[in-house]
Amino acid sequence: MSAKTILKQIPGLQHLYGVLINYYNKRLYEKNPKLLANESYKRTYKHDIDWENPKDLNEKIIWMQFNTDTRLWSRLADKYLVRDYVCEKGEEKLLNKLYGRYNSADEIDFDSLPNQFVLKPNNASGKVILVKDKSELDVKKTRKILNKWLKSTFVYNNAELHYARIEPCLIAEEYLEEIGKTRLIDYKFYCFNGIPESIEVVTY
């Protein structure tokens, strides 16, 4: 059994494992972002990135991160600034309600928010707090989690360089749900040259 497996299975050491991984990734990123990107890719696909002749979609995306202008990527990955981009394209009707933008969780006035809402940082993935009933929310604990998220840097996860240019903030948005369903279903259509080639279905 590997040291990694042992750390993840022993109660109380899972947090230590996460701290060590974050420290390792940060140091590797500072030394050479390409090495971090390659390690992240290799964990999934079991071989190194072919930097000279990238073949699969993920290889090509990673290659573009290091060899093309990705300033627009940063704007689109920013969960706050992307709203302006959508409005510029005349599609503001697609946006859900924005209740507030905050530089710190301490700025959030929970009394002014509706009974149901969503809290999340603008510069990460998978970090979200769904509030279905505000009366049951532990505000102190929530502020602590959100402020911790603000200090984290998503770019250290796998060297997605465009995240490094995003100015961190927190946003409160409308809580979305489908009537009669216990989970919200998110459909992602992946298009190439304007043609949808695959669909990803995500449930929360």
Side-chain angles (χ1 to χ4, degrees), residues 35-152:
L35 290 178
L36 177 56
N38 188 75
E39 280 204 7
S40 177
Y41 177 89
K42 192 173 183 178
R43 279 195 298 269
T44 301
Y45 298 100
K46 310 307 177 186
H47 63 85
D48 294 318
I49 295 172
D50 187 342
W51 294 101
E52 298 300 322
N53 184 29
K55 299 177 180 62
D56 67 51
L57 177 61
N58 286 291
E59 277 186 309
K60 292 179 179 181
I61 291 175
I62 295 171
W63 184 92
M64 290 175 66
Q65 289 180 161
F66 288 91
N67 295 280
T68 64
D69 183 356
T70 60
R71 284 174 293 181
L72 180 59
W73 293 23
S74 299
R75 188 182 182 195
L76 299 182
D78 186 321
K79 293 176 175 59
Y80 178 70
L81 292 184
V82 71
R83 299 177 65 90
D84 290 335
Y85 180 85
V86 173
C87 290
E88 289 174 9
K89 298 302 179 181
E91 299 294 343
E92 57 269 21
K93 62 181 180 295
L94 299 176
L95 296 171
N96 58 346
K97 294 179 183 177
L98 176 69
Y99 297 129
R101 176 197 178 280
Y102 318 94
N103 292 316
S104 166
D106 301 321
E107 297 178 1
I108 303 175
D109 179 6
F110 285 92
D111 291 335
S112 68
L113 293 173
N115 187 54
Q116 294 185 327
F117 55 90
V118 174
L119 293 169
K120 58 188 175 184
N122 66 323
N123 65 336
S125 175
K127 290 181 169 60
V128 59
I129 295 177
L130 303 177
V131 181
K132 298 182 180 181
D133 185 348
K134 187 169 63 173
S135 67
E136 298 180 357
L137 182 67
D138 186 332
V139 173
K140 183 178 180 180
K141 180 179 178 180
T142 299
R143 291 190 195 278
K144 183 177 180 180
I145 292 172
L146 292 172
N147 281 328
K148 180 180 179 181
W149 286 351
L150 273 179
K151 294 177 182 178
S152 64

